Amino acid sequence: MARVSKHQAGAGSNLIFLYGPPASGKSTLGELLADNLALPFVDLDQRIEVETNLTIPEIFAKEGEEGFRRLEKTLLKETLNLGWGVVALGGGALLDPESRSLVEQAGAVICLAPSPEELLERAGTTSTERPLIADSSQENASSEKLIDLLNRRESHYASFAHPVDSISKSPEEVVWEIQIQLGAFHLRGMANSGFRAPAAGGDSARPHPLGYDVRVSNGALGEVGIWLEQLELKGPIALVTDENVAPFYLSRTLEFIQEAGFTVQPVVIPPGEAAKSIDTVSYLWGQFLEMGLERRGTAIALGGGVVGDLAGFAAATYKRGVRWVNLPTTLLAMVDASLGGKTGADLPQGKNLVGAFHAPQLVLTDPETLDTLPQEELRSGIAEVIKAGIIGDATLFERCTQGWQEIESNLGELIRRAMAVKVEVIEADPYEGGVRESLNLGHTIGHAVEVVSNYELRHGEAVAIGTVAEARLSEKIGVAENGLADQIEIVCSQIGLPVEIPEELSADEIIKAIQMDKKLAAGRVRFSLPVKIGEVQTGIEVEDLNLIRL
Ligand code: ADP
Ligand code: ZN
């Protein structure tokens, strides 16, 4: 049974604190992080200077360290009331146990841990502004003081849960690592239909950004009410789920939403791909109408890819579009379907033939909901995680080589990393014209295999087969380095994913199915093929499809 813990208002990741020794890069990284997440940025030292109209060294000279700390603590407490934000803390702000515990309750703390050498290099130019390390009387005093300070506080800094290593990385890379650790992303590529929330007044206002937030954390389901409030979403709310998910998560999700003061009605649909029809969409429209869902109201999807696609499409079309929130509960939906704003339904003639781009306001992912997902569904989802690793994250691929047990115990990180790869690709190409094609890796052959198997194979199983087959093809035409296909095959088969086109499926039919897809895609089969782990080449036309025969 999944554990979904309840959180106090303000918990979660909407306040992110950057901490670490002087000159560790808190302000630079904080500003970048805030920008990436479309959050306001607060530099606590700067705030103190503005508030007192004095520079920090002046405050130290006048009031001593004790006086400075008192001021710092008062202003720190004020920032805790901000609903949103990235806060850069002074290098000693959390030495005080009370401050530390307040901050840790209010949000996530990221502690930067650069090496002493890096620190000295960075501190060199600005040490006079850093009173605890500055000393004009001796040439080398400031570096000695910095080392001394670092030594004294070593165990303090090491005691924080999210240490981030910044050695030989660009600020952008460090910030991306931080985002992966936090499970916090913001997708801004797609202009949202729906409403722009009015900006709340006062200090805590978050300029309402275009795009949407993506968060991954254990227990996130318990925070859905807080998020609805913070995003200023409106009721009534239609909570759409399916018959398999409902017994596990429906009642508690309803409670979380009601506790935040919203009117909410459940809408339960049958499970599985068979339900992904216009009939079900029509049923959703009817239910929305019956409960009085207004143009300003909100739909929420709680379930796998099928629920997300359908509820999202119903939201895209109902009253010309209402806002919606996605709470994915399958691995496949978390790492793939929930990102990118695609919604839709199947027609009797084929899958996903009707749809719309309609981004949600929020994707809130709770890996604990995977505790109840059948093993086969979980395994199938791992195929998309492996795909993400091949496309853009060699570390992620490497994690997948460590066997099933390791994978299961490390799911949170795998999800965050796989999402990060997809987020990066989508941000570069929100409406699918260029690099986003790389996400098709394994899917040209995979999709054909899925069709020819009459959907007997799960999507992820077909993708595993497709990924291995496309890696072989890539080697044959000289795009991939030798041995890549074997490497991928071993990883997939180790965890029980199929890696060969089943004997009962004829190669002719698979080639025909690929050509069918080609007709739909304006006459060209363009493969996205792996070059090596972490790199994919898109738009490769393969003249002779017979090459996919083994
Ligand atoms: P996918 O997300 O793989 O595209 P579905 O939405 O059809 O596909 O979900 C796969 C199956 O898993 C469905 O039968 C669905 O009801 C069920 N399911 C989804 N999430 C969970 C969960 N967290 N626990 C148990 N069963 C779930
Ligand atoms: Zn897929």
Side-chain angles (χ1 to χ4, degrees):
M1 193 64 191
R3 248 177 333 102
V4 182
S5 50
K6 255 181 72 182
H7 290 261
Q8 299 294 310
S13 317
N14 296 335
L15 271 178
I16 299 163
F17 298 91
L18 289 190
Y19 190 49
S24 56
K26 297 180 294 266
S27 307
T28 316
L29 298 176
E31 218 158 328
L32 276 174
L33 181 62
D35 192 49
N36 278 3
L37 294 176
L39 291 172
F41 174 63
V42 178
D43 187 316
L44 198 63
D45 278 353
Q46 242 175 39
R47 238 186 200 212
I48 295 170
E49 293 189 329
V50 169
E51 197 72 21
T52 55
N53 216 1
L54 294 171
T55 64
I56 305 272
E58 282 167 355
I59 303 173
F60 264 76
K62 220 171 132 200
E63 319 253 347
E65 184 174 353
E66 208 178 301
F68 172 79
R69 295 275 172 236
R70 253 199 319 275
L71 253 171
E72 185 181 44
K73 191 167 175 178
T74 311
L75 285 171
L76 176 60
K77 282 183 177 167
E78 273 176 32
T79 65
L80 300 182
N81 297 326
L82 300 176
W84 302 97
V86 175
V87 182
L89 298 167
L94 303 185
L95 289 165
D96 174 64
E98 189 199 349
S99 297
R100 175 171 182 167
S101 107
L102 286 173
V103 162
E104 286 181 326
Q105 276 169 35
V109 182
I110 295 285
C111 191
L112 304 168
S115 67
E117 297 75 36
E118 272 183 296
L119 216 53
L120 285 176
E121 202 183 301
R122 261 185 254 152
T125 49
T126 54
S127 60
T128 48
E129 290 156 30
R130 304 176 196 278
L132 286 183
I133 57 172
D135 189 339
S136 55
S137 62
Q138 274 178 304
E139 185 80 336
N140 287 324
S142 69
S143 43
E144 275 162 24
K145 282 200 171 181
L146 183 53
I147 297 286
D148 179 51
L149 181 127
L150 211 54
N151 286 337
R152 270 187 286 127
R153 290 192 192 157
E154 196 184 356
S155 61
H156 171 65
Y157 291 132
S159 69
F160 288 86
H162 291 283
V164 173
D165 180 8
S166 57
I167 294 173
S168 52
K169 287 191 189 132
S170 71
E172 286 76 14
E173 286 168 332
V174 178
V175 164
W176 195 240
E177 266 315 303
I178 291 175
Q179 287 186 246
I180 291 172
Q181 282 207 23
L182 288 172
F185 307 97
H186 184 84
L187 277 152
R188 65 187 93 215
M190 192 181 294
N192 251 338
S193 46
F195 300 88
R196 293 175 72 115
D203 228 5
S204 64
R206 180 189 189 198
H208 191 69
L210 280 178
Y212 55 105
D213 296 308
V214 177
R215 292 292 188 276
V216 188
S217 69
N218 286 332
L221 205 54
E223 291 171 16
V224 61
I226 299 164
W227 273 97
L228 293 172
E229 272 181 283
Q230 290 205 328
L231 292 171
E232 302 184 21
L233 291 167
K234 300 277 181 287
I237 288 168
L239 178 58
V240 182
T241 190
D242 75 23
E243 286 162 9
N244 290 343
V245 178
F248 295 116
Y249 306 108
L250 180 58
S251 63
R252 73 176 87 162
T253 308
L254 284 171
E255 256 175 56
F256 294 139
I257 297 170
Q258 278 160 347
E259 277 169 10
F262 293 90
T263 311
V264 52
Q265 290 261 346
V267 184
V268 182
I269 60 176
E273 192 70 29
K276 205 174 145 182
S277 65
I278 293 299
D279 281 348
T280 310
V281 175
S282 181
Y283 171 74
L284 292 177
W285 289 327
Q287 293 291 300
F288 291 178
L289 207 57
E290 206 166 283
M291 78 175 66
L293 193 75
E294 298 294 332
R295 174 98 170 86
R296 298 183 72 84
T298 307
I300 300 183
L302 170 69
V306 170
V307 170
D309 278 8
L310 287 172
F313 185 57
T317 44
Y318 178 75
K319 298 199 171 172
R320 298 196 186 82
V322 295
R323 292 187 290 187
W324 72 293
V325 165
N326 200 353
L327 310 174
T329 64
T330 65
L331 183 56
L332 204 74
M334 290 175 184
V335 301
D336 198 34
S338 70
L339 301 170
K342 285 190 194 175
T343 70
D346 300 341
L347 291 182
Q349 291 86 343
K351 281 179 62 161
N352 293 320
L353 290 179
V354 181
F357 279 103
H358 184 60
Q361 299 293 310
L362 167 71
V363 179
L364 195 56
T365 296
D366 187 346
E368 285 182 351
T369 58
L370 297 179
D371 290 359
T372 54
L373 188 70
Q375 279 260 324
E376 294 317 303
E377 295 291 340
L378 194 65
R379 204 186 306 279
S380 161
I382 293 290
E384 299 278 3
V385 174
I386 293 172
K387 180 194 86 173
I390 300 170
I391 292 173
D393 185 347
T395 309
L396 175 59
F397 185 84
E398 155 56 35
R399 297 271 200 276
C400 295
T401 62
Q402 293 166 356
W404 185 247
Q405 269 194 336
E406 276 295 308
I407 287 178
E408 268 199 311
S409 62
N410 209 8
L411 268 178
E413 191 199 347
L414 298 193
I415 293 167
R416 297 193 306 270
R417 284 193 168 276
M419 279 180 135
V421 170
K422 184 153 185 188
V423 166
E424 251 184 328
V425 173
I426 295 169
E427 280 296 82
D429 181 15
Y431 287 100
E432 213 167 47
V435 291
R436 191 155 165 181
E437 273 181 22
S438 63
L439 297 170
N440 289 343
L441 175 70
H443 282 61
T444 308
I445 295 178
H447 183 241
V449 168
E450 202 179 1
V451 170
V452 174
S453 83
N454 230 338
Y455 296 96
E456 290 286 308
L457 285 166
R458 286 189 168 75
H459 178 69
E461 292 166 347
V463 168
I465 294 169
T467 307
V468 173
E470 289 179 18
R472 296 228 178 278
L473 175 64
S474 190
E475 280 187 35
K476 276 187 202 164
I477 63 171
V479 170
E481 47 189 43
N482 276 341
L484 183 70
D486 283 345
Q487 205 184 343
I488 298 171
E489 178 174 334
I490 290 168
V491 173
C492 291
S493 55
Q494 228 179 20
I495 57 181
L497 281 164
V499 289
E500 274 170 26
I501 298 173
E503 268 174 31
E504 63 275 19
L505 305 185
S506 101
D508 283 341
E509 280 197 59
I510 290 168
I511 291 172
K512 245 193 253 160
I514 294 175
Q515 282 162 338
M516 259 305 268
D517 282 346
K518 163 171 101 169
K519 265 208 305 218
L520 297 174
R524 286 169 165 211
V525 185
R526 291 155 59 91
F527 283 85
S528 300
L529 296 178
V531 178
K532 59 181 187 193
I533 300 301
E535 188 184 334
V536 166
Q537 199 175 320
T538 61
I540 301 175
E541 291 180 30
V542 176
E543 292 303 325
D544 183 8
L545 287 177
N546 284 309
L547 284 173
I548 72 166
R549 295 171 199 270
L550 288 178

